[in-house]
Amino acid sequence: MEIDKETGEVKHTPKGKGSFWISKQAIEILLDAKATALEIAAYLVMAKHTDEGGMFTTSGIKAIHKATGVSHPVIQRAVDKISQMTLGKGKEPHLIYKADDWQKLTKTELPSAPFERAEVRYVVNDYKAKPEDKVWISNELVTGYGKFTQPLKKLKMCGDVAARLLLISYRESNLEQYGGVNPRVFHHAYEMTKVNNLDGYDTVSYTHLDVYKRQGMIYGMG
């Protein structure tokens, strides 16, 4: 077990040597809640540092601060906000739980830790995701690569819309068919209607179809 000397967090490479996954339902919850860039970044840090089962994370405020550069009080408010996010106005399980709350709710023991800094701090709800419901993300989005040490800090600087678009891009990625993101995700659809015929030529009108209205949430349109 390797420990980060600065944050005291256990260094995991869960669910794959260079990647981790989050559930599609988690993405839906973050989009539906119009999560901010910091809230999305905080969730990604916690998800990246989960154990092999994808739920129990040793990641806390210090690890999120290291990844984003944001002050501890602001991060705490973001984490508190995430812990209240559900799908269906409270009818579904929460996105994350404080470790103690999870233990009380499920009446199960948390994984043991060799020392205090390695204790489980939060539980990331995996929503019992099946393989097809898992969205895989590179560890380097959280840890950085080379001199690019804080990708999530840059993401926060890009704004909330960019962070939501990133989640959608990961969710809609299809390497086998498209070599990346399905291009149909980001386009406007139009319906063609014949108006009349003038001297043998048809005239038509085009009406924009908001076929991706559900994606309006990324812009905060509701």
Side-chain angles (χ1 to χ4, degrees):
M1 180 181 296
E2 186 179 359
I3 306 297
D4 187 305
K5 294 181 179 179
E6 181 178 342
T7 66
E9 309 295 340
V10 177
K11 291 184 178 180
H12 292 292
T13 53
K15 313 166 204 171
K17 292 183 179 180
S19 59
F20 65 99
W21 61 264
I22 61 177
S23 69
K24 289 183 179 179
Q25 188 164 5
I27 291 178
E28 291 301 321
I29 290 172
L30 289 165
L31 293 177
D32 186 61
K34 299 181 178 65
T36 65
L38 177 57
E39 290 163 1
I40 292 170
Y43 179 80
L44 291 173
V45 172
M46 288 188 284
K48 190 269 178 190
H49 288 286
T50 54
D51 63 348
E52 293 182 359
M55 294 182 65
F56 302 106
T57 180
T58 60
S59 179
I61 302 303
K62 288 184 179 180
I64 299 171
H65 168 73
K66 182 179 179 181
T68 64
V70 178
S71 67
H72 290 204
V74 175
I75 292 172
Q76 186 63 65
R77 288 195 293 271
V79 172
D80 291 342
K81 181 73 176 296
I82 299 169
S83 67
Q84 297 302 314
M85 291 182 183
T86 64
L87 188 63
K89 297 182 179 180
K91 295 181 181 179
E92 299 289 336
H94 288 220
L95 192 59
I96 66 170
Y97 292 86
K98 292 181 179 179
D100 291 343
D101 292 340
W102 174 265
Q103 194 170 18
K104 292 175 183 177
L105 178 66
T106 62
K107 302 186 186 310
T108 57
E109 293 296 324
L110 296 170
S112 59
F115 47 86
E116 184 178 352
R117 286 188 175 183
E119 290 180 351
V120 173
R121 288 170 170 77
Y122 292 92
V123 178
V124 178
N125 199 327
D126 65 353
Y127 294 99
K128 302 186 184 301
K130 298 177 181 179
E132 62 270 22
D133 297 323
K134 296 178 180 180
V135 177
W136 290 87
I137 299 173
S138 170
N139 288 337
E140 292 169 352
L141 178 62
V142 175
T143 62
Y145 179 78
K147 294 183 179 180
F148 189 26
T149 58
Q150 292 178 302
L152 293 179
K153 181 178 181 180
K154 296 294 185 182
L155 179 64
K156 182 182 178 300
M157 293 171 62
C158 290
D160 301 339
V161 171
R164 295 172 197 152
L165 284 170
L166 181 66
L167 287 182
I168 292 172
S169 297
Y170 272 112
R171 186 192 65 192
E172 300 299 331
S173 179
N174 188 329
L175 293 176
E176 291 184 1
Q177 188 170 358
Y178 302 105
V181 179
N182 183 346
R184 292 180 58 83
V185 174
F186 301 111
H187 83 292
H188 291 297
Y190 292 84
E191 181 179 57
M192 183 176 68
T193 305
K194 181 178 178 179
V195 178
N196 52 36
N197 183 285
L198 296 175
D199 298 326
Y201 293 93
D202 290 333
T203 59
V204 298
S205 66
Y206 291 89
T207 303
H208 173 246
L209 296 177
D210 192 11
V211 293
Y212 292 104
K213 185 176 181 180
R214 62 192 296 271
Q215 303 297 4
M217 65 183 70
I218 65 176
Y219 297 104
M221 295 190 297

